[in-house]
Amino acid sequence: MGKAARRRHANDGENDSGKALRNGSSYHSRGDRHSGTTESPAGLSPLKLCLLVVTVATGGLVAAYFLNEDAQSVIHSTLLHYGIPDFLQFTGSNPAEDAGQREQTQRQPKKTSYTKSSITNSADKKIRSELDDADSYREKGQIEKAMEKYNAILKRYPKSPRALYGKAENLDKLAEKKQSNTYLEEAIQTFLTVLDLENVPDDLVIQTGRRAAERMNFRGWSAKAVKTLRGLTQRFPQNVALKNELGVAYLMVGKTEEARPVFKAALEIDPKNGFALVHLGFIYKTADNDPAKAIPLLREGINTKAEGTVDGRFYFHLGDSLQRVGQKEEAYEVYKAGADLGLFLSMYQRSLYNVDHLTGRPWWTPEQTTYKKYLKLLEDNWKVIRDEGLAQMDLKSGAFLPEEENLREKGDWKQFTLYQRGQKNKKNCQKVPKTCALIDQIPAAKGCKRGQVKYSVMQPGVHVWPHCGPTNCRIRAHLGLVVPDGPRISVAGQEGKWVEGKFIIFDDSFEHEVWHDGNSFRLVLIVDFWHPELSDHEKANLSPI
Ligand code: OGA
Ligand code: MN
């Protein structure tokens, strides 16, 4: 069942995908682990009115049921920064729960064991058959009947932790059934009531707190979730799983520096904890830009195969770290392993926001794109486009901004963005009106919510690390505007070359790398088009990147 994650966070505004998405530095830009299914991470469900159902790799359901405008914008910024909201760590076999269950089986001799004894206090024990009865209706999905039972128990025992907990879970089920935030909020409130009771067994406190935090995240109340988890970790300081959950909650609200000591503390208690290892490694890589320091942690963490470690983001950053310290072969072993696990579409195509029925190939011909007439329109007008771009460079108008996605090893590379996420940047377009008037004639480019239109200027001396774009939903075309000798691009190991007035077309979800060894700048216009195999429905419903 699904979990949500969102976060309010100012978009850095620059370029691409939200840089975090493109370079995968955001915690949430995880891999969709659905190698076999159509992407849902981003998609608003058909019941779109307000219902946002986002399925993630593990089949999670994400986001509040009904979105008001505010929530909508939260979702938007979530998807921007994290891509797919995820809370997978807390699904199914939760580490905290597992620990609880382990303890319980150790404590209880087998014969007399009552499976719920660790969450049942002495008063509840006396009414345990009634509680079990209500639970079993809930577990069978007979929500109304279960509600009657819980309410009947609570009438007599208003402070029964198990009855309140069961009611909270039941309200949550009701919320899902009715797609109702009101019930969801009531469920959260009821979980919190359990936490305020006296004589709640530790296991039930942990279970309740965890569920409360999870549902808060789903509702978009990430800060509250953090608060709840912080309280729990203070109460159970030796519980590593809770620390891990708190660390993730911090990451999801963008508080990396708060997350860092939490994962460190988890590792002090359990140095081989895979979950904490990959997350601390992730922080070293993305926040500190220290691949050498990240490698051992990511590697050791991934090798544990622990819940939450088999994840495209960690394979992505381990491979990328290895590439950046020059261990290429090892990097490709990691990518291959990731691809074999279905975390990547292939070892070279490592985008994490994918629709999986789309043809993927590194280089495209104009015919293959189906956008030949539009490509020609732009080629026919390339000098106009060039001159408008050059004027902005000359003016030093501040139109061109440095690439800030940590993609460069070295050199000076700037971009001037005209459209992103399917939206025209009106201010920037005023500076290059003829170019934007041309793009406005191209629905698949101006409306490409998972791409951009931008000028890209590269000075001699640049090396762009091998990298992959965030999504396989776009085809990227570069129109050569000023092309000296020297710049080179390789996509999945196949070299291409810019030519003035002509497009080169590739799928930037495949690994690509750029060098400029010439003597003067290179200028291109980058135009992203929707992948031609996407249906109108998909294009309408995919989240922007
Ligand atoms: C890209 C890219 C570099 C360049 O378009 O995805 O990495 O040459 N381009 O501007
Ligand atoms: Mn790129």
Side-chain angles (χ1 to χ4, degrees), residues 398-411:
F400 281 84
L401 299 171
E403 177 271 328
E404 274 189 339
E405 300 176 70
N406 188 20
L407 295 177
R408 267 171 301 167
E409 180 191 13
K410 55 185 175 146

Side-chain angles (χ1 to χ4, degrees), residues 371-385 434-435 437-443 479 503:
Y371 301 125
K372 212 175 159 184
K373 85 169 185 201
Y374 297 118
L375 294 164
K376 184 168 183 312
L377 172 73
L378 296 174
E379 285 181 348
D380 286 347
N381 289 282
W382 76 276
K383 287 188 176 165
V384 171
I385 297 169
K434 292 175 192 152
T435 300
L438 290 163
I439 299 295
D440 278 338
Q441 296 174 49
I442 312 177
L479 178 60
F503 269 109

Side-chain angles (χ1 to χ4, degrees), residues 258-527:
E258 260 97 343
R260 184 195 302 265
V262 175
F263 290 122
K264 281 190 176 170
L267 288 169
E268 265 164 37
I269 299 168
D270 179 6
K272 295 201 178 318
N273 187 281
F275 191 94
L277 282 167
V278 290
H279 283 81
L280 190 57
F282 180 89
I283 291 171
Y284 290 154
K285 168 66 163 55
T286 57
D288 303 350
N289 191 22
D290 191 342
K293 200 167 165 190
I295 288 168
L297 281 84
L298 288 169
R299 182 173 264 152
E300 197 185 331
I302 281 175
N303 283 342
T304 65
K305 300 194 169 59
E307 176 89 15
T309 62
V310 184
D311 182 312
R313 287 170 303 179
F314 304 125
Y315 282 73
F316 183 107
H317 282 293
L318 176 55
D320 197 47
S321 298
L322 289 163
Q323 276 179 318
R324 290 184 185 210
V325 300
Q327 299 185 31
K328 286 202 171 179
E329 266 175 46
E330 290 86 344
Y332 286 109
E333 279 166 24
V334 171
Y335 292 145
K336 166 120 191 8
D340 288 347
L341 285 164
L343 304 174
F344 304 128
L345 290 167
S346 77
M347 64 188 288
Y348 290 111
Q349 196 179 14
R350 301 189 298 272
S351 48
L352 298 178
Y353 302 87
N354 301 315
V355 167
D356 70 352
H357 62 81
L358 304 177
T359 300
R361 62 169 84 82
W363 289 100
W364 287 61
T365 65
E367 290 76 14
Q368 284 166 338
T369 68
T370 73
Y371 301 125
K372 212 175 159 184
K373 85 169 185 201
Y374 297 118
L375 294 164
K376 184 168 183 312
L377 172 73
L378 296 174
E379 285 181 348
D380 286 347
N381 289 282
W382 76 276
K383 287 188 176 165
V384 171
I385 297 169
R386 175 196 63 190
D387 292 345
E388 283 193 330
L390 282 173
Q392 292 309 308
M393 285 174 61
D394 292 347
L395 284 175
K396 306 238 176 314
S397 66
F400 281 84
L401 299 171
E403 177 271 328
E404 274 189 339
E405 300 176 70
N406 188 20
L407 295 177
R408 267 171 301 167
E409 180 191 13
K410 55 185 175 146
D412 178 352
W413 172 24
K414 291 195 175 74
Q415 298 175 344
F416 172 33
T417 302
L418 309 179
Y419 296 74
Q420 58 189 341
R421 300 193 299 276
Q423 293 197 324
K424 182 174 182 170
N425 183 322
K426 292 216 177 86
K427 214 175 108 215
N428 288 354
C429 274
Q430 275 167 12
K431 298 176 176 169
V432 289
K434 292 175 192 152
T435 300
C436 287
L438 290 163
I439 299 295
D440 278 338
Q441 296 174 49
I442 312 177
K446 80 165 175 175
C448 181
K449 283 187 292 171
R450 292 195 157 192
Q452 306 90 43
V453 177
K454 59 194 178 187
Y455 288 95
S456 167
V457 63
M458 201 172 266
Q459 299 294 338
V462 170
H463 173 225
V464 180
W465 291 113
H467 66 283
C468 294
T471 176
N472 73 342
C473 295
R474 68 190 186 208
I475 304 299
R476 177 156 281 194
H478 282 195
L479 178 60
L481 299 173
V482 178
V483 183
D485 278 341
R488 289 180 294 135
I489 179 167
S490 164
V491 183
Q494 302 166 35
E495 287 229 356
K497 231 175 170 323
W498 294 276
V499 176
E500 286 183 1
K502 293 287 165 212
F503 269 109
I504 57 170
I505 310 158
F506 63 103
D507 178 340
D508 80 314
S509 63
F510 284 85
E511 178 181 296
H512 52 289
E513 185 170 1
V514 183
W515 304 260
H516 189 350
D517 301 324
N519 299 311
S520 65
F521 71 84
R522 182 230 60 182
L523 179 67
V524 298
L525 182 74
I526 298 176
V527 185

